[in-house]
Amino acid sequence: MTVLLHLSDTHFGTEQPEVVEALVRLAVRLRPQLVVLSGDITQRARAAQFRAARRFVDRLDAPATLAIPGNHDIPLFNLAARLWAPYANYRRAFGTRLEPVHDADGLLVVCVNTTRAHRHKDGEVDAMQVRRVAERLRRARPEQLRIVVTHQPVHVTRPEDASNLLHGREDALRAWAEAGADLVLGGHIHLPYVQPLAGTLPGVSRAPWCVQAGTAVSRRVRDGVPNSVNVIRHDPQAWPRECLVERWDHRSTSGRFELFEATRIALVR
C-alpha cells in the first residue's frame, strides 16, 4: 500500500505551532512514502520562512518529498528579486527543480510550476508544459496511479472562486485525460474537495478527478474550514483498481488531525 500525504498552502510565516506539531504527529503515525506540497509554502517568500518550512518538512521524515512553488513563494514587494530571481529563496530550501517527478512502484507524480513572475495571484500552464506532462503520463506503467500537481485549481465548486482557476486548464485537462491522468492535485483557495471532472470535459469519456487541499498549518483558514490535509492510498496489486482519497481536519478540541471523510475512486484504464 502506497500512502501519499498531500499538503498545501502552509504559508510559513503565518503557521500555528500547535497545528504544525499535530501534523508532524500525524505523519509519524501514517508513515507516508511521499509528501507532496502543492505551493504557497511561505507567506512572503522570505529566506527565514523557507528555512522554517524546510525544517518542518524534514521532521515529517518521509522517504521522498515533492514541492512546487505557489504565487506566495515568489517575492511580492522586492520587485528586483521578483523579476530577476523569483525562485532564489525557494531553490535554496527545496532544490533547483521547479517541476519534479516521482516515479515509483505503483505511483507516478508529475509536478507543474504554474506561477509566473508577471502575475500577482493567477497561474497558468503553457503548451510546452501541457505536452511535457502528457508525454510523461503516456510512459506510465499500467499499475501506476498517475497524478499531476498544480498550485491553482483546475476546477472550483463555487462561482466566487472562478477567478482563481488556472489559465490554460481546458487544453491541459483534455491532453492529460487522454494521456491517462487519474488525479490533479491543487491548493491556492484553502478549500478542500474531491470532484470528478468527466462532466466538465465534453467529448472526453475518461477524465481525472480534481483533489484540492485546504491550508495545512496556516492561520489563514477560510469560510470556517479548519486546517486540513489529504491522504491518498493506493495498492497497485489490488482489484478492482482504485485509490482512496482521505481528508484529515485539525480539531482544536482534541489537538489532533482526524479523518473527516474518504472518497473511493475507481481507476479506469
Side-chain angles (χ1 to χ4, degrees), residues 2-268:
T2 297
V3 178
L4 182 158
L5 178 59
H6 172 211
L7 317 178
S8 198
D9 298 85
T10 50
H11 286 279
F12 270 83
T14 68
E15 75 276 16
Q16 303 171 92
E18 68 278 10
V19 183
V20 169
E21 295 305 316
L23 186 46
V24 171
R25 292 193 297 270
L26 177 66
V28 170
R29 172 183 168 189
L30 295 176
R31 301 179 64 184
Q33 285 79 37
L34 176 66
V35 172
V36 173
L37 291 88
S38 55
D40 279 0
I41 298 169
T42 65
Q43 176 64 11
R44 282 290 173 255
R46 294 176 180 139
Q49 294 172 355
F50 276 115
R51 288 194 296 269
R54 182 73 255 182
R55 289 193 296 269
F56 160 71
V57 169
D58 291 343
R59 292 182 65 199
L60 301 179
D61 199 28
T65 299
L66 290 186
I68 58 170
N71 53 292
H72 277 261
D73 296 319
I74 56 179
L76 178 60
F77 301 114
N78 186 338
L79 295 182
R82 186 177 183 89
L83 291 175
W84 303 110
Y87 304 108
N89 287 335
Y90 176 92
R91 285 186 161 115
R92 291 187 189 99
F94 288 94
T96 58
R97 298 184 65 190
L98 300 179
E99 298 184 313
V101 174
H102 179 83
D103 187 343
D105 291 342
L107 184 64
L108 174 66
V109 183
V110 185
C111 294
V112 186
N113 175 21
T114 58
T115 62
R116 299 293 187 267
H118 66 277
R119 293 187 179 274
H120 173 49
K121 290 175 57 179
D122 288 4
E124 67 181 57
V125 58
D126 61 35
M128 185 178 297
Q129 290 174 307
V130 172
R131 287 194 299 271
R132 176 186 63 82
V133 172
E135 289 169 1
R136 189 65 189 84
L137 290 169
R138 291 190 193 98
R139 299 200 303 272
R141 298 183 292 280
E143 73 278 7
Q144 286 182 308
L145 177 66
R146 302 161 191 180
I147 298 175
V148 180
V149 185
T150 66
H151 177 58
Q152 286 84 1
V154 296
H155 176 73
V156 295
T157 59
R158 312 181 311 177
E160 57 265 39
D161 295 321
S163 62
N164 293 295
L165 282 165
L166 178 67
H167 296 275
R169 66 193 176 279
E170 296 92 347
D171 290 342
L173 287 174
R174 287 182 175 279
W176 299 343
E178 292 172 357
D182 296 308
L183 309 176
V184 180
L185 310 188
H188 188 57
I189 56 176
H190 300 196
L191 295 176
Y193 50 85
V194 179
Q195 292 286 316
L197 296 177
T200 69
L201 298 172
V204 175
S205 59
R206 180 207 168 279
W209 285 61
C210 172
V211 178
Q212 285 287 122
T215 174
V217 299
S218 172
R219 64 175 179 267
R220 300 178 74 244
V221 294
R222 294 178 182 170
D223 298 329
V225 178
N227 294 104
S228 69
V229 300
N230 294 327
V231 176
I232 300 172
R233 303 180 191 268
H234 172 59
D235 183 352
Q237 305 303 321
W239 188 264
R241 300 292 311 284
E242 62 184 18
C243 70
L244 188 67
V245 180
E246 301 171 348
R247 170 181 157 186
W248 289 70
D249 287 356
H250 181 262
R251 300 299 182 190
S252 57
T253 52
S254 66
R256 299 194 304 264
F257 276 85
E258 300 177 1
L259 180 62
F260 176 78
E261 63 181 2
T263 304
R264 197 170 297 273
I265 297 174
L267 304 178
V268 180

